[in-house]
Amino acid sequence: MIPAEFKYLCPSSVDEAVRMLAEEGEDAKIIAGGQSLVPVLRMRLAAPTALIDIGGLTELTGVRDDGDSLLIGAMTTHYEVQRDHLIHDHVLLLKLVADTVADPQVRHRGTFGGSLCHADPAGDLLAPALALDAVMVIAGPGGRREVPASEFFVGYFETALAADEILIDVRVPKYTGWGAHYEKLNRVAQAWSIVAVAAAVQVRDGSIVAARVASRTSVPGRCVRPRWRPRWSGSLRLLR
Amino acid sequence: MTATAEPEVGKARLRKEDARLITGQTKWTDNLQLTGMLHMAVLRSPVAHARIRNIDCSRATTMPGVAVVLTGEDFAAEQGSLPCAWPITEDMKSPPAPAMAVDQVNFAGEAVALVIADNAYRAADALAAIDVDYDELPVVLDLQEALQDTDLVHPDLGTNKCATWVYDSAEAGAGTNVEDEIASADVVLERTFRQQRLIPSFMEPRSVVVDPNADMFTVWSATQIPHILRWMLSAVTGIAEHKIRVIAPDVGGGFGGKLQVTPEELLCLLAARRMGRPVKWTESRTESMLSAHHGRDQIQKITLSARRDGTVTGLKVELLADMGAYLRLVSPGIPVLGAFMYNAIYKFAGYRFVCTNVFTNKVPTDAYRGAGRPEATFAIERMMDELAAELDMDPMKIREMNWIKHEEFPFTTVAGLTYDSGNYEAATARAMELFGYEELREEQSRRRTSRDPVQLGIGVSTYTEMCGLAPSRVLGALRYAAGGWETASIRMLPTGKVEVITGTSPHGQGHETVWSQIVADRLGVPFEDVEVLHGDTASSHKGMDSYGSRSLAVGGTALVHAADKVLAKARRLAAHMMECDEADVEFASGSFSVRGTSTVRTLGDVVLAAHVAHDLPEGMEPGMDADATFDPDNFSFPHGTHLCATEVDTQTGMVKIRSYVAVDDVGTVVNPLIVDGQVHGGLAQGIAQALFEEAVHDEMGTLTTATFADYLVPCAADLPAFITDRTSTPATSNPLGVKGVGEAGTIASTPAVVNSVLDAVRHMGVRDINMPLSPERVWTALQGGSADDVGDVAAGGLGSIDSQGGQS
Ligand SMILES: Cc1cc2nc3c(=O)[nH]c(=O)nc-3n(C[C@H](O)[C@H](O)[C@H](O)COP(=O)(O)OP(=O)(O)OC[C@H]3O[C@@H](n4cnc5c(N)ncnc54)[C@H](O)[C@@H]3O)c2cc1C
């Protein structure tokens, strides 16, 4: 379990990281928490020539209030998501999802942005990102651009990120006061989950007035895009 | 004879070993750093069956840090053949088993070349620069197809059949002819079960360091068998045995997976000899899964005959056992170990066992926790449930009708073994009480009537097994190449402290704690005053190591005998010191006294007197050490009753264990905490076979479950809270009364779980489901599919990323 040789680079700003990505070319990779990338390197499923470590970029961590939405820094760890008050108050679903990711060690190192960029069809953040209409804020040589989740996940371990781009923030609309639930199916606790459903609902006077639901599957051995049902809103009587 | 105020035997002592293990203070083999040490990396065949046309090492040889690249050809003259110590029949076919393939590879994962470099990273990098040309051959994977001999794993042998081993109760004079029983029976049931291939998932990957020093070789290995390894390394290489020292330091688990003389141990030794420098090899998890031996992998055809009232009469077992590509240390004997256990606790009149061992292009199989006995117990316990269903009787009632009653012990079985003790009634009564058997049956019937989508099932397993491997004469009769005795030495130090040397080789079990408890009791010394040395052939010069739940029953008995020798000598010296007749000396709590007087000498006083040797009785040697070797007369036979309740979601096929009760009779318990630990871990592994674990190969023979993302090992979160209890009928075959507990949980639990799932869905027309009982298999069975409809599937995860398509 020894990775192939690589160059290790440590940028001091997002702009420098973007520059380094451009300079090192196609075979360079960002490393965030390393919780997905390091196993891939160790199994020699990938052999990037350079790793650009964005772990030291404090500008990428933390959750900010941005009016109608929250901005979640790409380097915010799952552990921080679990404990953040803004997330708890405005997008409860993300907290509930973070609670189910991996184990405490992994949650302390693995990042919100890294999970989304890795786009593992069995990853836990895909369904909630889709359900909540999250938007990816991306930095590249040409400046910043924003991509909605529904266009960000393009396939199996594949995103709309270009090789020279970095995810810096995730914009999530506020769902203040909404209820939420997340379910996933695992054969054993440490296994990749087979299917997951994320839901957030707004309830008024015993009726659901709005809902956001997304599911995703990962069928072993087959390439499957994340799938989700069209989101809908309307009124539904709550069964008590 | 025993001694301390509060007896040590029976005390739930925390383990002596744990402080150093959990604080990271111990040195595992991979932690060793020797001056000038080189590192070995092994290139493994990606194909399951091929001729090697050419290996080009020229590029790899010039890579930075690389000392040498070696192939099978380089070692052909010196590597010999890896040993198989159990030729089960005279005409058994045994192909040469080179440590590194020379001109043909026979399984994916077989070593084809190795790199020796100045560090492990550079060794790994250079592997990618070796080019091997393979001419692929047809792969033989399926057991039934292998029997047709259309394609051959080893063309030179002319067949894929390795050996056929037969036991027949009529021929052995232990029972009737099974065909007569079948012919005259009211009911005959025939079933075929599949024992899927499992991977022994020890926590510490295998690791070897060899230090050549002048003509002496010191070998550190993460092994269960340092003594056997030393003997075998000498036999294979011709290096004189006294020039090899093997050390098994702390070893992180084995489960039989490290009961092996591995290709890598041999290659490391040969490489170190060639280089004249120390060489280390440590495997990755995937390497381990691809090349360390696997377990189980049998097809069992079982015929059971009975009378209409439920009395069983005959049992016929026809096995196909997958050996994989080569015979490793005890591969062929594993199914044979099960031969004596199919009749289990039941009184069959006639019994016949026929096992055909078969070669395939897969990783060799060998011992894995239970070794032959879990397979046997699974088959018979499944059959008892099948019979109950056939006759519409309660599965516990039918067992009770047929089992050996407690007053019938000792009992000689139809397989020719004599069970010394046991009480199946007592263990069963306790288990039923803890489980709430009647209430669960009521709930089950309510759910059936209401057609609840979640059905409840109850599974029974009233198992026994044979432990304490083994009486040497029995091993001889089975053509096993070694004996089954064990040895212990006690060194009494002048300050009264005690060193115990054991020939067993613990790798996680806690022998240091338990051996200390036994000696503390026997000699009346404090628990803390005992140090247990093991796993180094320089200090423990002989031993048969640890496997087969043998360490306590055999090695613990040797220890008791050694302690008794110390006491006998000390008593003589004490009498001399106290100037009295030896018959008047009493021993209690570590002190000798003269009966009816206040004259006292502590054991420490006596040991010191023996050490200084100023005044010893005529002819007595100085010192107070003793050695003992114990060869058991019989096996020991733990037993118990396990009950499992599962909820089966009939809409999704998901199985959830609702409750699990294990009442085991393992004889005398020295340390209840350690026994509970063994039971819990054993249950986890047995349940894992029932529900989760499975080694899967694709049609090319590539293992697709070569990571823990694909091979599902359950953890605590996946298992219910176990309810455990014990009953105790001491073994009569050893002075401690112990029976062994290392494998019991694994042996008992697999059929309990599978029986419970089938019990939940049998009324819906399901007769059998292959293990592991994945939701897909259970669901397919519920849709009317047969056991074979769902092929093997890797669980998903990394195996599902093809090596190009992952992430780049
Ligand atoms: C034992 C274990 C269990 C796990 N269990 C779960 C689980 O239950 N559920 C789950 O969802 N996940 C699970 N994971 C995965 C874990 O959540 C992810 O590894 C992690 O969150 C990814 O983030 P990271 O910071 O570690 O990314 P890294 O591993 O550092 O990177 C992953 C990929 O994303 C790219 N990348 C990372 N950040 C950026 C960025 N800002 N911009 C552009 N590209 C970027 C990297 O180049 C790389 O290709 C588990 C991992 C482990 C090791």
Side-chain angles (χ1 to χ4, degrees):
Chain A
M1 284 292 174
I2 291 178
E5 202 172 324
F6 54 82
K7 190 163 103 192
Y8 177 78
L9 300 169
C10 226
S12 50
S13 68
V14 170
D15 291 344
E16 192 183 357
V18 170
R19 222 171 25 250
M20 284 174 169
L21 263 184
E23 279 162 16
E24 295 299 325
E26 288 265 304
D27 289 335
K29 271 211 143 315
I30 295 290
I31 181 162
Q35 298 304 291
S36 289
L37 188 55
V38 171
V40 166
L41 298 181
R42 286 166 68 94
M43 302 200 71
R44 297 195 177 218
L45 293 173
T49 49
L51 291 186
I52 299 163
D53 188 349
I54 55 170
L57 303 185
T58 45
E59 58 194 291
L60 294 185
T61 58
V63 181
R64 280 138 32 229
D65 195 327
D66 194 34
D68 289 345
S69 57
L70 298 182
L71 278 172
I72 304 173
M75 281 304 299
T76 310
T77 63
H78 298 300
Y79 175 81
E80 288 158 352
V81 170
Q82 280 182 284
R83 273 162 189 72
D84 189 88
H85 290 295
L86 289 172
I87 286 181
H88 185 271
D89 292 349
H90 301 295
V91 268
L92 182 64
L93 179 59
L94 290 181
K95 178 216 166 348
L96 300 182
V97 170
D99 286 346
T100 75
V101 171
D103 49 55
Q105 287 100 315
V106 173
R107 291 199 291 267
H108 273 82
R109 292 208 61 87
T111 65
F112 192 76
S115 277
L116 293 166
C117 294
H118 192 53
D120 184 332
D124 281 309
L125 293 190
L126 274 68
L130 291 164
L132 299 174
D133 286 337
V135 174
M136 312 298 149
V137 183
I138 295 168
R144 310 267 145 123
R145 66 179 180 121
E146 301 205 350
V147 179
S150 57
E151 290 164 25
F152 185 72
F153 304 116
V154 299
Y156 196 67
F157 292 97
E158 238 185 292
T159 67
L161 271 181
D164 54 2
E165 288 183 319
I166 300 176
L167 175 67
I168 53 172
D169 276 318
V170 182
R171 180 186 301 283
V172 185
K174 285 183 180 169
Y175 294 87
T176 316
W178 287 45
H181 192 71
Y182 183 64
E183 277 290 338
K184 61 175 165 176
L185 178 75
N186 297 42
R187 288 283 309 285
V188 297
Q190 61 159 17
W192 266 244
S193 77
I194 297 165
V195 60
V197 182
V201 293
Q202 189 179 27
V203 180
R204 232 177 264 142
D205 302 330
S207 292
I208 294 179
V209 294
R212 300 277 186 273
V213 182
S215 71
R216 60 118 189 97
T217 64
S218 63
V219 177
R222 267 165 255 161
C223 179
V224 171
R225 277 173 188 246
R227 279 194 208 134
W228 59 96
R229 279 192 273 159
R231 92 196 127 71
W232 54 273
S233 47
S235 181
L236 189 79
R237 279 200 63 75
L238 261 194
L239 299 172
R240 297 210 181 225
Chain B
M1 185 83 158
T2 53
T4 35
E6 193 192 343
E8 280 289 336
V9 169
K11 209 189 247 186
R13 280 254 180 213
L14 293 178
R15 307 195 325 165
K16 277 188 168 181
E17 296 85 343
D18 287 342
R20 71 169 187 272
L21 295 179
I22 62 183
T23 58
Q25 288 179 54
T26 194
K27 282 201 174 61
W28 309 99
T29 302
D30 188 50
N31 295 128
L32 292 174
Q33 299 297 346
L34 304 181
T35 309
M37 190 165 74
L38 296 166
H39 296 258
M40 178 171 103
V42 180
L43 183 71
R44 299 184 181 280
S45 170
V47 295
H49 203 199
R51 307 280 308 171
I52 299 174
R53 200 144 29 108
N54 182 46
I55 303 182
D56 180 358
C57 306
S58 52
R59 231 161 25 98
T61 312
T62 62
M63 303 262 297
V66 172
V68 66
V69 181
L70 297 164
T71 65
E73 205 135 278
D74 296 317
F75 282 136
E78 51 184 317
Q79 69 177 348
S81 180
L82 289 165
C84 172
W86 203 340
I88 52 169
T89 62
E90 215 156 325
D91 60 354
M92 182 183 83
K93 301 242 176 347
S94 186
M100 191 146 61
V102 179
D103 45 23
Q104 182 170 324
V105 291
N106 293 308
F107 68 92
E110 189 168 359
V112 292
L114 57 83
V115 174
I116 306 286
D118 59 357
N119 73 44
Y121 286 72
R122 288 167 145 182
D125 284 345
L127 290 182
I130 303 174
D131 293 315
V132 187
D133 269 354
Y134 296 101
D135 270 339
E136 293 199 32
L137 298 167
V139 291
V140 180
L141 299 174
D142 181 82
L143 275 181
Q144 315 264 18
E145 280 170 25
L147 277 184
Q148 307 304 313
D149 284 342
T150 321
D151 297 314
L152 297 177
V153 178
H154 300 283
D156 291 353
L157 298 182
T159 175
N160 292 321
K161 278 189 226 62
C162 165
T164 299
W165 192 93
V166 181
Y167 173 85
D168 189 291
S169 63
E171 285 162 23
T176 59
N177 184 326
V178 76
E179 297 301 344
D180 296 343
E181 299 297 341
I182 291 171
S184 63
D186 300 332
V187 188
V188 176
L189 299 180
E190 200 185 289
R191 298 285 184 271
T192 300
F193 302 124
R194 188 188 81 131
Q195 291 286 330
Q196 80 269 35
R197 187 174 265 255
L198 299 176
I199 301 180
S201 308
F202 33 76
M203 202 184 295
E204 180 205 11
R206 297 171 306 160
S207 180
V208 192
V209 174
V210 179
D211 183 18
N213 196 334
D215 63 347
M216 183 78 200
F217 295 88
T218 305
V219 179
W220 288 263
S221 181
T223 180
Q224 290 175 232
I225 52 162
H227 297 93
I228 297 174
L229 179 59
R230 179 199 204 193
W231 177 8
M232 291 298 129
L233 285 177
S234 161
V236 173
T237 61
I239 298 171
E241 192 178 351
H242 62 295
K243 296 296 181 186
I244 303 175
R245 172 182 176 191
V246 176
I247 302 172
D250 272 325
V251 174
F255 308 122
K258 291 174 182 165
L259 164 47
Q260 195 53 270
V261 176
T262 67
E264 294 81 6
E265 285 164 334
L266 193 68
L267 292 172
C268 235
L269 176 60
L270 297 179
R273 176 165 75 175
R274 189 173 280 236
M275 305 306 292
R277 284 166 67 179
V279 174
K280 181 198 280 185
W281 170 80
T282 300
E283 70 185 351
S284 70
R285 179 61 61 185
T286 292
E287 217 180 348
S288 187
M289 298 177 104
L290 286 171
S291 66
H293 73 247
H294 294 172
R296 315 277 191 266
D297 210 345
Q298 298 180 358
I299 294 172
Q300 311 171 291
K301 186 174 156 206
I302 316 285
T303 312
L304 181 146
S305 64
R307 288 203 287 270
R308 175 96 12 229
D309 69 358
T311 310
V312 297
T313 58
L315 183 66
K316 189 164 78 170
V317 175
E318 294 158 278
L319 291 191
L320 290 180
D322 191 344
M323 298 290 101
Y326 298 103
L327 300 181
R328 293 289 192 239
L329 192 62
V330 293
S331 307
I334 299 303
V336 172
L337 274 176
F340 306 96
M341 285 288 116
Y342 277 85
N343 52 296
I345 64 171
Y346 311 111
K347 294 182 278 188
F348 284 94
Y351 172 52
R352 183 177 169 83
F353 171 96
V354 183
C355 174
T356 304
N357 289 350
V358 182
F359 292 111
T360 61
N361 291 115
K362 294 187 197 165
V363 177
T365 58
D366 207 317
Y368 175 52
R369 204 168 189 173
R373 293 160 288 160
E375 296 92 315
T377 303
F378 179 85
I380 185 65
E381 290 304 300
R382 283 282 297 105
M383 288 309 281
M384 293 310 278
D385 262 35
E386 291 295 303
L387 182 62
E390 177 76 20
L391 300 175
D392 198 20
M393 289 175 69
D394 179 89
M396 196 56 102
K397 292 254 161 52
I398 209 150
R399 285 171 168 81
E400 202 175 335
M401 272 184 73
N402 286 293
W403 72 40
I404 302 159
K405 308 272 180 295
H406 70 273
E407 65 273 13
E408 291 176 302
F409 287 92
F411 185 92
T412 299
T413 73
V414 73
L417 291 181
T418 301
Y419 296 175
D420 60 333
S421 69
N423 188 333
Y424 309 139
E425 297 91 328
T428 300
R430 183 72 186 125
M432 301 272 273
E433 183 187 327
L434 288 170
F435 191 61
Y437 188 83
E438 298 305 331
E439 293 86 328
L440 284 167
R441 283 276 179 227
E442 278 162 29
E443 179 182 337
Q444 176 181 46
S445 108
R446 278 199 306 277
R447 287 190 189 227
R448 278 189 194 168
T449 327
S450 69
R451 304 194 176 205
D452 195 319
V454 178
Q455 289 290 314
L456 183 69
I458 295 171
V460 177
S461 170
T462 49
Y463 78 101
T464 188
E465 57 143 338
M466 54 200 265
C467 288
L469 267 51
S472 298
R473 68 186 159 77
V474 176
L475 292 180
L478 292 172
R479 307 177 52 88
Y480 183 63
W485 46 264
E486 196 44 88
T487 191
S489 304
I490 294 182
R491 297 182 192 153
M492 301 301 295
L493 305 178
T495 53
K497 308 291 185 204
V498 186
E499 270 176 354
V500 169
I501 297 120
T502 176
T504 64
S505 195
H507 41 282
Q509 295 88 343
H511 294 179
E512 290 171 31
T513 304
V514 171
W515 273 223
S516 298
Q517 287 182 271
I518 292 170
V519 169
D521 249 8
R522 215 73 190 177
L523 298 182
V525 297
F527 171 79
E528 294 75 16
D529 285 2
V530 186
E531 187 69 25
V532 179
L533 309 178
H534 55 79
D536 181 346
T537 59
S539 59
S540 74
H541 64 292
K542 64 177 175 180
M544 294 307 302
D545 307 318
S546 289
Y547 42 83
S549 302
R550 70 186 303 273
S551 295
L552 184 57
V554 189
T557 301
L559 184 57
V560 167
H561 288 173
D564 289 351
K565 282 187 186 173
V566 168
L567 282 184
K569 183 172 179 184
R571 178 185 294 271
R572 224 182 113 212
L573 180 52
H576 178 74
M577 290 164 75
M578 297 187 290
E579 296 174 341
C580 69
D581 196 283
E582 210 185 311
D584 292 329
V585 175
E586 287 180 333
F587 179 69
S589 301
S591 290
F592 295 95
S593 57
V594 183
R595 194 186 316 272
T597 74
S598 58
T599 314
V600 171
R601 289 289 182 283
T602 67
L603 179 64
D605 298 337
V606 180
V607 168
L608 183 62
H611 192 77
V612 299
H614 295 165
D615 178 15
L616 300 180
E618 208 39 53
M620 180 179 277
E621 281 180 26
M624 196 59 81
D625 301 344
D627 294 336
T629 299
F630 174 67
D631 196 349
D633 278 340
N634 194 0
F635 297 91
S636 53
F637 302 95
H639 70 81
T641 298
H642 287 212
L643 296 171
C644 176
T646 51
E647 289 176 359
V648 180
D649 187 327
T650 57
Q651 292 173 332
T652 63
M654 280 295 276
V655 171
K656 183 174 158 242
I657 298 182
R658 165 134 134 218
S659 61
Y660 195 103
V661 169
V663 176
D664 296 291
D665 185 336
V666 297
T668 306
V669 169
V670 179
N671 185 323
L673 202 61
I674 287 181
V675 166
D676 276 344
Q678 288 291 330
V679 171
H680 280 232
L683 292 177
Q685 265 171 318
I687 291 171
Q689 177 173 13
L691 297 181
F692 305 118
E693 293 184 21
E694 157 171 58
V696 180
H697 295 80
D698 66 13
E699 67 284 0
M700 301 302 294
T702 308
L703 183 72
T704 58
T705 50
T707 73
F708 279 155
D710 308 288
Y711 186 82
L712 298 185
V713 177
C715 63
D718 302 304
L719 299 163
F722 300 124
I723 301 167
T724 62
D725 200 1
R726 281 181 284 277
T727 54
S728 176
T729 51
T732 63
S733 51
N734 65 68
L736 290 165
V738 299
K739 295 182 177 176
V741 69
E743 294 153 300
T746 309
I747 290 170
S749 56
T750 311
V753 175
V754 175
N755 278 340
S756 74
V757 173
L758 286 166
D759 186 54
V761 296
R762 195 184 288 276
H763 67 287
M764 300 171 80
V766 177
R767 268 182 37 152
D768 196 17
I769 311 174
N770 278 344
M771 293 188 290
L773 306 182
S774 62
E776 191 179 5
R777 286 209 177 89
V778 174
W779 187 85
T780 305
L782 281 161
Q783 308 311 306
S786 85
D788 297 320
D789 276 0
V790 180
D792 309 338
V793 241
L798 295 175
S800 59
I801 303 177
D802 70 73
S803 44
Q804 276 79 41
Q807 266 244 329
S808 51

